[in-house]
Amino acid sequence: MATESDFKCLRCGHWFKTNYEKNKPEERTCPKCGSNSVRPMPEKKK
Amino acid sequence: MDVGRHPKINLLAYSEVEDISGYIGNFKVKVRKKARYVDEVECTSCDDCVDVCPVVVPKEHQLGLASRKAIYIPFPQAVPASYIIDEENCLGFNPIACGKCAEKCDKNCIDYDAKDEIVEFDVGSIIVASGLDVYDPTEFDEYGYTRFENVLTSMELEILTGPGGVTKGKLIRPTDRKVPKSIGFIQCVGSRCESRGTAYCSNICCMNTIKDTLLLREYYHDIDCKVFYMDIRAFGKGFEDFYRRSKALGVEYIRGIPGDIREDPKTKNLILSVENTTGNGIEEYELDMVVLSVGMVPRKDSNSINKLLTLQTTSDGLLMEVHPKLTPIDAPTAGVFFAGCCEAPKDIKDSVTQASGAAARAASILSKDKVKIPALTATVDDDLCKSCGICVKVCPYSAITIDMKAKEPAKIIEAACKGCGTCASECKFDAISMKHYNDAQIIAQIDAILEENPEEKVLVFACNWCSYPGADLVGISRMQYPTSSRIIRIMCTGRLDEKFILHALKLGAPIVLMSGCHPADCHYINASLKAQLRIEKLWNKLERKGIRPERVQFEWISASEVGKFVKTMEELEEFRKSVTKKEIEETKKILSKSKK
């Protein structure tokens, strides 16, 4: 089930929250710079 | 009916597909022909059995608005036009309880002991035309579908007004059996709604309502028709004229969806509250009847056929085609095609168009002795394969088979393989290689690019279908991207094994970019998403090793997004400058020490 998780844009460094479901990838875009290099951050990194 | 009579069409009614195996040109299909308990050849549909049958149940074909007996013909045009015994409701399976139809039938057509029959076929191509279901609006409690008798669905209105319906085409109000004086249609019930029903537009409802209003105004001149809508979608040849005709006949279109429906307990009239968004604020309407224009939803039982043919669905549950623009009729499984609403809601014209296309596509396979396949298929090294089955799970085309229990090596069905390379990238034992774009060729390109001054280069792996042509279009458009960019073409981002990226970093690449089709446009169904998942895992792995994940980037760039390609390469060139020689050297040391 999808839950809201932290993401970090590896292009501009922006952090944001969006829905995430493990092993269910989908097209994600950084709301700040528009890059797709958006990394779901593990729980411990919060 | 023509289909039933056609000498070259074998129509299997009242049957279910149990199993499908094989591949394009060589499918084997196992079908269960359910027992009808009536000899369909001998039966003359004389009706004698129906007359004596004591069981009365709601008739499914007329949505329960009429009744049928336990021995029945599902609908008047059914092929074959012979009776079926409803096993669940018939009393005749206990001869003491009944058996009247068998006693009455002069031709002895009734056989309570009939058994299901399994038949098998060899077919070259399969067309899926499993359709959609009509949305059940029960959860829209504010419209009182289960509480107010005069609230119907558009399908129920169709049954009421159809010539073969219970009232022989006469529209009556359920509570008093009189012709209603006013009728309201509420659009988009179960469509275009994120929380209930489906998020997509069901495509046909607007035109169906317009058709209903025209019919009603033509047959009952004084009936007051009101349509409550968000926006009328009357696209298509002649549709706008149809809409205008409806308005010219006096049908009132009110832009707003009612918030609720109440019933006057005395008159059974329905009172609708609606915000008219064209400027008149909250309005109330009292109507004799309300019709909920319900949308279409994926069939509840569609999963079984999807599994048999390894078909994939969108998040809405609609069947997914190989490519929405280039191959809109083809299923991911080679030799399988779609016709009708199973792929997306569509009207009769579009369904017929797609069915004709599907028939032509199927005929193009059947007319040949051999099928052409790409020369880029995968091959398995039997000695290296550990029969783990990962390749079978990730293949978007179900082109790999394996017997894990017998520990047999994986087998590639070459006729079904499209050469995306996802299996080769996912195989942990390097047991799968590709014909062309193989590991050695890709590694050789990386070596050549990074042979001199690797720290000055941005290495790009671009997919053959979107990002590589996108880069090409930059040049054709006389635009420029930084000269530090070095592009390696791969068929799909799904082919991008982490070992290529690690190899590049080990040779001193400051930045590696993986770029491919947007997932919705992926030419290999969902291979690009599999690649994204792999990159997400790689980021975690790099971080564990002490390498900045930022040095591996990915971007979805379509063939027309030249601006995005240029912007990405300019940003990465700036980023490349921030990667110091010291960092590159440390990365090389870390990766030289690692085993994999």
Side-chain angles (χ1 to χ4, degrees):
Chain A
M1 195 183 149
T3 51
E4 198 172 58
S5 284
D6 284 317
F7 285 80
K8 184 189 177 189
C9 174
L10 298 187
R11 189 73 52 81
C12 69
H14 178 62
W15 282 71
F16 61 98
K17 282 183 187 291
T18 190
N19 283 340
Y20 174 69
E21 196 171 346
K22 202 179 175 189
N23 292 327
K24 283 219 167 167
E26 56 182 289
E27 181 165 350
R28 297 188 196 97
T29 305
C30 169
K32 192 178 172 193
C33 71
S35 169
N36 301 123
S37 289
V38 171
R39 182 184 176 203
M41 297 306 286
E43 197 70 19
K44 60 185 175 187
K45 295 283 169 192
K46 282 182 189 175
Chain B
M1 285 191 164
D2 283 349
V3 170
R5 293 192 199 107
H6 198 284
K8 290 196 170 181
I9 299 176
N10 186 3
L11 185 66
L12 298 173
Y14 204 50
S15 304
E16 269 182 22
V17 177
E18 290 229 317
D19 188 39
I20 299 171
S21 57
Y23 48 89
I24 179 171
N26 291 292
F27 290 109
K28 286 194 185 298
V29 184
K30 191 191 280 184
V31 178
R32 176 180 292 275
K33 280 181 79 177
K34 293 185 196 169
R36 303 172 74 94
Y37 306 104
V38 179
D39 187 330
E40 62 189 74
V41 179
E42 292 297 319
C43 174
T44 56
S45 311
C46 66
D47 262 9
D48 286 352
C49 52
V50 178
D51 293 341
V52 295
C53 178
V55 179
V56 180
V57 290
K59 190 170 185 176
E60 298 84 351
H61 178 62
Q62 298 200 318
L63 307 176
L65 293 174
S67 57
R68 63 165 174 82
K69 296 292 184 68
I71 183 162
Y72 69 110
I73 294 180
F75 52 97
Q77 300 83 13
V79 177
S82 75
Y83 286 88
I84 299 174
I85 291 182
D86 170 3
E87 193 183 345
E88 198 177 318
N89 292 299
C90 176
L91 307 173
F93 290 90
N94 176 1
I96 300 163
C98 192
K100 289 180 178 170
C101 55
E103 285 169 21
K104 189 73 180 172
C105 184
D106 294 336
K107 299 193 80 178
N108 294 323
C109 296
I110 313 292
D111 177 10
Y112 296 119
D113 298 322
K115 295 272 181 281
D116 291 357
E117 189 187 344
I118 302 290
V119 285
E120 289 191 358
F121 299 95
D122 289 334
V123 298
S125 178
I126 294 170
I127 296 174
V128 181
S130 46
L132 290 173
D133 270 339
V134 178
Y135 174 68
D136 175 359
T138 303
E139 62 182 331
F140 277 81
D141 191 52
E142 63 268 35
Y143 294 154
Y145 176 63
T146 53
R147 287 178 283 127
F148 310 138
E149 282 184 72
N150 292 331
V151 176
L152 304 177
T153 65
S154 42
M155 273 301 281
E156 287 165 344
L157 181 72
E158 204 70 39
I159 298 291
L160 273 182
T161 54
V166 281
T167 58
K168 306 292 179 204
K170 187 184 175 189
L171 176 67
I172 55 163
R173 199 165 90 126
T175 48
D176 55 14
R177 307 288 194 268
K178 289 179 183 166
V179 176
K181 291 194 174 94
S182 57
I183 185 165
F185 293 82
I186 302 177
Q187 295 304 110
C188 298
V189 177
S191 302
R192 304 172 68 192
C193 180
E194 296 282 348
S195 55
R196 293 178 291 183
T198 62
Y200 56 76
C201 167
S202 287
N203 195 318
I204 60 152
C205 324
C206 286
M207 294 315 296
N208 185 57
T209 293
I210 293 169
K211 182 263 295 175
D212 284 341
T213 59
L214 275 170
L215 285 176
L216 292 174
R217 290 290 297 177
E218 281 171 6
Y219 283 111
Y220 310 96
H221 301 295
D222 56 347
I223 196 167
D224 177 22
C225 292
K226 292 187 185 348
V227 179
F228 301 93
Y229 71 101
M230 281 193 246
D231 44 67
I232 293 291
R233 297 188 166 179
F235 56 89
K237 195 164 73 177
F239 288 7
E240 192 65 25
D241 289 343
F242 214 52
Y243 176 37
R244 282 199 204 113
R245 231 177 90 201
S246 163
K247 286 201 281 192
L249 276 173
V251 176
E252 194 182 346
Y253 286 83
I254 297 146
R255 192 168 183 277
I257 298 292
D260 72 337
I261 298 178
R262 286 165 287 135
E263 188 189 58
D264 182 327
K266 282 184 183 170
T267 61
K268 298 290 177 186
N269 284 351
L270 301 161
I271 300 142
L272 284 73
S273 305
V274 59
E275 184 187 2
N276 187 336
T277 57
T278 51
N280 296 329
I282 304 290
E283 295 171 359
E284 277 204 347
Y285 294 90
E286 187 169 336
L287 301 164
D288 287 354
M289 263 176 82
V290 166
V291 174
L292 306 178
S293 189
V294 287
M296 291 193 277
V297 291
R299 288 178 59 117
K300 285 174 190 157
D301 58 356
S302 58
N303 269 350
S304 58
I305 198 79
N306 297 355
K307 274 184 190 167
L308 287 175
L309 287 167
T310 57
L311 304 175
Q312 297 187 21
T313 58
T314 62
S315 55
D316 294 315
L318 302 170
L319 288 177
M320 206 151 75
E321 62 285 82
V322 174
H323 193 277
K325 296 168 198 158
L326 305 175
T327 45
I329 297 171
D330 296 37
T333 307
V336 179
F337 307 101
F338 299 136
C341 291
C342 60
E343 179 257 329
K346 46 179 78 70
D347 61 9
I348 296 169
K349 181 190 163 193
D350 286 351
S351 296
V352 171
T353 306
Q354 194 183 27
S356 305
R361 296 281 291 120
S364 72
I365 293 169
L366 302 179
S367 62
K368 292 171 193 161
D369 294 333
K370 291 179 181 174
V371 178
K372 275 188 187 174
I373 56 166
L376 300 160
T377 51
T379 55
V380 178
D381 184 331
D382 290 355
D383 296 333
L384 294 176
C385 180
K386 307 284 184 214
S387 312
C388 67
I390 285 178
C391 52
V392 178
K393 281 185 194 161
V394 298
C395 177
Y397 299 96
S398 306
I400 309 176
T401 57
I402 199 163
D403 187 344
M404 288 169 72
K405 281 184 188 167
K407 296 233 166 188
E408 291 277 327
K411 285 189 173 57
I412 308 286
I413 303 166
E414 286 211 66
C417 176
K418 303 284 182 192
C420 64
T422 303
C423 55
S425 307
E426 293 281 349
C427 180
K428 292 174 182 169
F429 309 103
D430 284 337
I432 301 184
S433 56
M434 304 303 296
K435 295 174 187 167
H436 309 292
Y437 295 96
N438 60 34
D439 286 8
Q441 288 170 328
I442 294 172
I443 294 283
Q445 288 182 78
I446 298 169
D447 289 346
I449 287 169
L450 300 175
E451 195 174 5
E452 288 178 11
N453 305 324
E455 69 283 356
E456 293 175 7
K457 289 161 188 167
V458 174
L459 186 64
V460 183
F461 291 97
C463 89
N464 180 63
W465 304 101
C466 281
S467 295
Y468 194 86
D472 213 19
L473 193 59
V474 173
I476 294 168
S477 309
R478 302 272 184 245
M479 293 168 78
Q480 286 195 336
Y481 56 87
T483 53
S484 58
S485 314
R486 295 289 185 276
I487 301 175
I488 294 177
R489 176 160 62 172
I490 49 177
M491 287 309 288
C492 175
T493 46
R495 173 73 185 99
L496 192 57
D497 195 326
E498 69 167 38
K499 72 183 169 203
F500 301 142
I501 297 171
L502 294 173
H503 184 70
L505 293 174
K506 198 172 164 182
L507 292 181
I511 303 283
V512 178
L513 170 69
M514 176 192 87
S515 182
C517 307
H518 288 270
D521 291 338
C522 179
H523 285 56
Y524 300 101
I525 308 169
N526 58 1
S528 59
L529 283 176
K530 297 246 163 61
Q532 178 180 329
L533 202 58
R534 223 177 296 134
I535 291 286
E536 287 174 2
K537 284 177 185 165
L538 180 62
W539 282 331
N540 296 337
K541 189 174 184 175
L542 289 176
E543 192 170 60
R544 284 198 300 272
K545 285 179 182 291
I547 300 167
R548 275 200 297 164
E550 284 85 348
R551 290 175 60 194
V552 176
Q553 299 261 331
F554 81 79
E555 208 67 48
W556 305 130
I557 304 175
S558 76
S560 59
E561 289 180 309
V562 286
K564 188 175 184 184
F565 188 85
V566 172
K567 176 179 172 274
T568 301
M569 296 319 299
E570 284 174 347
E571 284 173 357
L572 293 185
E573 170 59 7
E574 282 307 304
F575 189 31
R576 180 194 68 80
K577 289 174 187 167
S578 72
V579 182
T580 61
K581 277 193 174 180
K582 188 183 169 194
E583 186 178 350
I584 291 171
E585 287 307 317
E586 273 179 19
T587 302
K588 285 163 82 172
K589 269 187 207 168
I590 292 167
L591 293 176
S592 299
K593 283 179 197 165
S594 333
K595 286 178 184 173
K596 195 171 177 180

